Amino acid sequence: MKKEFFSTLENILYEQDFQTKVYKFNDFYENFKQNNLIFNHEFKAILKDNSRKDLILVHPTRIRRPKFTNSTQALAKTLHSIAHIEFSAINLALDASYRFTNLPLKFYTDWLEVTNEEIKHFMLLQKALEDLGYKYGDFAAHDNLELALKATKDSLSLRMGVVHRGLEAKGLDANPFVQKKLQSNNHPIKSYLKEVLDIILNDEIKHVSKGDFWWNFSKKDDEQFIDLCKKFKQFSLVGKSINEEARLKAGFSQEEIKALQKIDFY
């Protein structure tokens, strides 16, 4: 008997044990690719706290950015913050696939593919943390992504705009800066980290491109991204230094980028 898509996905989304979550997702994803699932588009999604019990979450303003020094702990804190973003991105992609019904099959294909890649990103960073003698959950993390998920739960266009065209694109802006700082560290792990961050950047361009596609699919004709940034200023949807090359590849126009560069969102 074929499993139902949304109810099975709910079980995966709210699974707390990471290894179990990955196992369940891999099985689900294989069934999806083999067309072994049925869709009940009358399904009603729920929303509940999905934060890890072993992780301290605080407001972004309470997170002290680690200084880029040659200490192992400072490096681990930086990697932990990136790992937290990637872990949160797993649930955000799962939640998009789970929460929004009555959409073309391409939508679910896109966001399950993103989920699969975010899992790989997190596991690569998890290995780096373990190599340094740490693990995910050893440091506090911000709740910005969890708050963004909740704030956009009732609107596909807001979810795609705020989360995947906004916060995920902000990651494109941050990547070169983080790369440069990590390479200034003398730790032997830095060559591995460069490979990981290159993988993440290339994949995230594709993810933002998917967000761009579905934002354009769902938004009102006169809706402008810059207005969305102003409306959701609390999430700081644009990096302080914009990665023009990556954003252009992901679907942003040159005009949008120029407009974003002129506005102070901080």
Side-chain angles (χ1 to χ4, degrees):
M1 180 182 294
K2 290 184 177 182
K3 294 181 179 179
E4 198 279 319
F5 180 90
F6 297 106
S7 58
T8 306
L9 203 51
E10 181 179 283
N11 180 264
I12 299 167
L13 173 62
Y14 292 118
E15 173 59 56
Q16 282 289 301
D17 181 76
F18 180 69
Q19 295 302 325
T20 304
K21 190 187 195 86
V22 172
Y23 175 81
K24 287 180 177 179
F25 174 77
N26 288 340
D27 180 68
F28 173 85
Y29 194 35
E30 284 303 312
N31 278 290
F32 173 79
K33 289 186 288 187
Q34 294 171 22
N35 197 30
N36 287 335
L37 298 166
I38 57 173
F39 287 79
N40 171 22
H41 287 288
E42 300 303 313
F43 182 86
K44 301 298 181 185
I46 62 171
L47 180 69
K48 61 181 182 180
D49 180 24
N50 199 23
S51 57
R52 283 177 53 138
K53 307 309 177 193
D54 60 344
L55 184 69
I56 299 173
L57 286 177
V58 298
H59 191 272
T61 57
R62 293 184 58 197
I63 293 291
R64 299 176 67 180
R65 291 187 177 182
K67 293 182 179 180
F68 287 92
T69 69
N70 282 318
S71 80
T72 300
Q73 186 184 65
L75 180 57
K77 282 184 177 180
T78 300
L79 292 183
H80 189 276
S81 66
I82 304 169
H84 174 62
I85 292 169
E86 298 302 319
F87 184 85
S88 300
I90 296 170
N91 284 336
L92 282 163
L94 282 172
D95 190 84
S97 306
Y98 160 72
R99 189 160 306 282
F100 301 106
T101 58
N102 293 298
L103 290 165
L105 183 63
K106 174 178 165 52
F107 178 84
Y108 306 104
T109 301
D110 278 353
W111 295 109
L112 292 178
E113 182 179 278
V114 170
T115 302
N116 190 51
E117 291 176 346
E118 300 291 13
I119 288 172
K120 291 176 181 176
H121 297 170
F122 177 76
M123 293 177 76
L124 289 169
L125 291 163
Q126 189 178 49
K127 178 185 181 301
L129 277 172
E130 289 171 355
D131 287 348
L132 293 175
Y134 294 86
K135 66 182 185 304
Y136 182 54
D138 281 349
F139 305 104
H142 66 73
D143 60 357
N144 207 40
L145 295 168
E146 183 75 14
L147 292 173
L149 183 152
K150 293 175 181 177
T152 59
K153 67 181 177 64
D154 297 322
S155 167
L156 176 62
S157 66
L158 289 183
R159 173 63 62 83
M160 293 297 114
V162 171
V163 172
H164 299 295
R165 206 176 191 265
L167 291 172
E168 203 155 11
K170 187 179 179 183
L172 302 181
D173 298 337
N175 192 289
F177 171 77
V178 176
Q179 286 260 31
K180 183 178 179 180
K181 292 298 183 181
L182 288 178
Q183 290 310 301
S184 69
N185 191 287
N186 293 327
H187 200 285
I189 201 176
K190 74 178 187 179
S191 60
Y192 172 77
L193 295 179
K194 183 180 187 314
E195 291 177 16
V196 172
L197 290 177
D198 283 345
I199 290 169
I200 290 175
L201 178 61
N202 289 330
D203 286 346
E204 297 296 348
I205 288 172
K206 294 184 296 181
H207 300 176
V208 176
S209 180
K210 288 178 170 62
D212 176 70
F213 177 89
W214 292 107
W215 180 67
N216 281 292
F217 173 89
S218 57
K219 74 179 181 70
K220 296 177 182 177
D221 290 341
D222 60 347
E223 191 173 349
Q224 300 295 316
F225 181 71
I226 196 164
D227 295 329
L228 198 65
C229 292
K230 294 174 182 176
K231 182 178 180 181
F232 290 90
K233 187 176 180 179
Q234 72 270 30
F235 295 123
S236 301
L237 301 183
V238 182
K240 291 183 178 180
S241 179
I242 290 177
N243 186 340
E244 292 187 47
E245 181 183 356
R247 281 181 177 262
L248 287 169
K249 289 179 180 177
F252 282 78
S253 69
Q254 194 71 63
E255 291 72 22
E256 277 184 304
I257 291 172
K258 287 180 180 178
L260 293 173
Q261 288 171 327
K262 292 178 182 178
I263 294 186
D264 180 13
F265 292 105
Y266 296 87

